[in-house]
Amino acid sequence: MNITTTTAPRSRYVSIPSLETVAAWLLAVIWVFPLLYAFWAAFHPSEFMVNFEIFAPLTLENFTDAWSQAPFARYYLNTFALVTGVVFAQFVVCTLAAFAFARFPVPGKNVLFMLVLIQLFVFPEVLIVENYRIASGLGLIDTITGIGLPYVASAFGIFLLRQTFKTIPRELEDAARIEGCNWLEILWKVYVPLAKPTYLAYGLVSISHHWNNFLWPLVVTNSVESRPLTVGLGVFSAPETGVNWATVSAATLLSIAPLLVAFLLFQRQFVQSFLRAGIR
């Protein structure tokens, strides 16, 4: 008895990228094109800014010109001080507020939490006049403290940490209380270590936002001693200064270089922190 076996024919269909994949690549190209152009203009003489020759000569003169024409060292120092201070203050304030909303049996805390979340629906530009009046009353105009003060209490940070704290088992808190820990020790030894992915994700978002923030620092600063990189770059690239766009492109790369390098080095940790924070 002859038994014949048949094998399924190989599929002759060629996989076609989905519409979502094509759209994602298209958006990626559109997003990265200005950055690629900035790299081209910064590393080539000004006469090659719109003349894309493959063998065009490379130069670092645009970077030296940009560094010599503006106090970028001071801008870097101001920006690092601003971002570090704001993120540290946000961690402290958001942690205490989120812990209170997540664990303390405060009457009406859900109503209070909803009032905090209303901040997410208010554009920061709406509060510029009121924030300026308060900063002026406190004598914080043209200071780094005045730039960062309106951002110390973040509704997004409170919401993110509250949701994370609510997922931590109460048994761990009870065990710490049996060991004699008070509320602050429970927060520091139990809740904060277990929320590290959330802190990392929120810290990355906060650093990126305040590094690139422009409008409020522009309004509240008047001198080089307190200007961050974004405002300094805006003043540096003003049309009346007569700076050519090759130098402006070099100055732009100098401004975004720390964030760009940090993202390239810690890309995996950057993505994993958001995934872990989202899973929690």
Side-chain angles (χ1 to χ4, degrees), residues 12-83:
R12 297 181 180 180
Y13 296 100
V14 179
S15 61
I16 300 176
S18 62
L19 182 61
E20 292 82 0
T21 303
V22 175
W25 276 104
L26 181 60
L27 290 175
V29 171
I30 295 174
W31 180 87
V32 80
F33 180 78
L35 184 62
L36 294 178
Y37 177 76
F39 271 98
W40 173 271
F43 285 99
H44 292 86
S46 57
E47 57 267 22
F48 291 96
M49 287 183 55
V50 293
N51 187 11
F52 302 103
E53 295 184 8
I54 299 177
F55 300 103
L58 299 176
T59 181
L60 295 177
E61 184 178 355
N62 296 322
F63 291 93
T64 57
D65 290 344
W67 189 268
S68 62
Q69 294 178 19
F72 278 99
R74 183 67 188 187
Y75 294 157
Y76 271 115
L77 180 62
N78 294 340
T79 304
F80 276 113
L82 171 65
V83 171

Side-chain angles (χ1 to χ4, degrees), residues 23-271:
W25 276 104
L26 181 60
L27 290 175
V29 171
I30 295 174
W31 180 87
V32 80
F33 180 78
L35 184 62
L36 294 178
Y37 177 76
F39 271 98
W40 173 271
F43 285 99
H44 292 86
S46 57
E47 57 267 22
F48 291 96
M49 287 183 55
V50 293
N51 187 11
F52 302 103
E53 295 184 8
I54 299 177
F55 300 103
L58 299 176
T59 181
L60 295 177
E61 184 178 355
N62 296 322
F63 291 93
T64 57
D65 290 344
W67 189 268
S68 62
Q69 294 178 19
F72 278 99
R74 183 67 188 187
Y75 294 157
Y76 271 115
L77 180 62
N78 294 340
T79 304
F80 276 113
L82 171 65
V83 171
T84 303
V86 169
V87 172
F88 178 78
Q90 285 180 338
F91 278 173
V92 174
V93 173
C94 294
T95 297
L96 296 176
F99 184 65
F101 281 124
R103 287 299 188 241
F104 288 169
V106 180
K109 69 175 182 180
N110 291 330
V111 177
L112 293 175
F113 184 64
M114 292 302 297
L115 292 177
V116 171
L117 291 183
I118 291 178
Q119 180 187 347
L120 296 174
F121 299 95
V122 179
F123 291 101
E125 292 78 8
V126 177
L127 304 175
I128 282 183
V129 175
E130 185 64 22
N131 288 338
Y132 189 89
R133 185 185 67 82
I134 295 175
S136 178
L138 296 175
L140 297 177
I141 298 298
D142 201 24
T143 63
I144 296 177
T145 303
I147 301 175
L149 186 61
Y151 302 99
V152 169
S154 170
F156 176 67
I158 295 173
F159 168 76
L160 198 62
L161 289 173
R162 173 186 177 269
Q163 298 305 111
T164 301
F165 289 163
K166 287 177 70 70
T167 62
I168 296 176
R170 285 293 185 98
E171 289 78 8
L172 298 176
E173 178 182 326
D174 296 336
R177 190 179 294 110
I178 292 174
E179 294 293 330
C181 295
N182 56 33
W183 282 111
L184 286 179
E185 290 175 334
I186 293 174
L187 174 61
W188 180 252
K189 296 180 179 180
V190 177
Y191 286 89
V192 172
L194 293 176
K196 283 183 179 180
T198 303
Y199 281 106
L200 180 58
Y202 176 69
L204 293 171
V205 172
S206 181
I207 290 173
S208 177
H209 172 74
H210 294 292
W211 189 281
N212 297 312
N213 194 15
F214 175 74
L215 184 57
W216 171 246
L218 175 66
V219 171
V220 80
T221 58
N222 303 316
S223 63
V224 174
E225 285 71 22
S226 59
R227 280 178 188 151
L229 277 167
T230 51
V231 179
L233 181 62
V235 175
F236 172 80
S237 60
E240 59 269 17
T241 60
V243 180
N244 64 66
W245 286 106
T247 307
V248 172
S249 298
T252 303
L253 293 184
L254 288 175
S255 301
I256 67 174
L259 287 182
L260 188 60
V261 171
F263 176 76
L264 293 177
L265 292 178
F266 303 103
Q267 181 179 3
R268 179 174 299 177
Q269 293 85 343
F270 183 87
V271 176

Side-chain angles (χ1 to χ4, degrees), residues 7-11:
T7 58
R10 294 183 178 181
S11 176

